Amino acid sequence: MTFISRLVTFFGLVLLAHAGYSAHEHTVLYSNIRLSSSTALPHDIVIEALVSLLVVSAGLVLGAEKLKPISWSEWAGQIEREGGTRNPYRRLEERYSFWDIRAKRKEFADWVRGQDAIAMAK
């Protein structure tokens, strides 16, 4: 997160805390009064809470990482082009006795090329 996004998020959280405190105080002050009308929260507290949620959301979106591609194949291809350093399954693939599909494909391709070479020689 950048400094600006952290500052915006912090400001939104302070606003949200203030709205919560104001709602609590309003509830405590009007809890003993039996009015015939509704004791709903004042509009300024509701608006402050909604604005604070928007500000927090904006701060979090500003500080978010770049989105990954939606398509699994694009994402996997991007990881492969980068050398596999960000591969989330790298630890699983490097386990002892884990079947290395790339090595097996290479062995098979070499075997097929060898068979083709033998067939061409005959």
Side-chain angles (χ1 to χ4, degrees), residues 39-107:
T39 58
L41 288 175
H43 295 298
D44 62 334
I45 295 174
V46 174
I47 291 172
E48 181 182 10
L50 293 175
V51 168
S52 66
L53 286 173
L54 289 174
V55 170
V56 168
S57 299
L60 292 174
V61 168
L62 286 174
E65 293 182 16
K66 182 182 174 191
L67 296 176
K68 294 182 175 108
I70 293 175
S71 173
W72 175 263
S73 61
E74 286 182 36
W75 180 67
Q78 184 181 16
I79 288 175
E80 290 295 321
R81 284 189 296 275
E82 293 173 358
T85 57
R86 293 185 310 128
N87 186 354
Y89 304 110
R90 183 179 199 149
R91 184 155 164 78
L92 289 173
E93 291 174 357
E94 293 175 349
R95 291 183 314 185
Y96 175 72
S97 75
F98 189 79
W99 194 45
D100 187 6
I101 191 71
R102 289 188 183 92
K104 296 294 180 186
R105 283 181 183 169
K106 184 177 182 317
E107 287 176 19

Side-chain angles (χ1 to χ4, degrees), residues 1-53:
M1 273 188 157
T2 62
F3 178 72
I4 299 295
S5 66
R6 288 182 187 202
L7 189 65
V8 169
T9 304
F10 179 73
F11 178 68
L13 289 174
V14 169
L15 279 178
L16 187 60
H18 182 264
Y21 179 75
S22 298
H24 173 72
E25 285 297 312
H26 180 268
T27 305
V28 169
L29 287 174
Y30 289 99
S31 65
N32 295 329
I33 299 175
R34 300 277 183 200
L35 296 175
S36 61
S37 65
S38 173
T39 58
L41 288 175
H43 295 298
D44 62 334
I45 295 174
V46 174
I47 291 172
E48 181 182 10
L50 293 175
V51 168
S52 66
L53 286 173

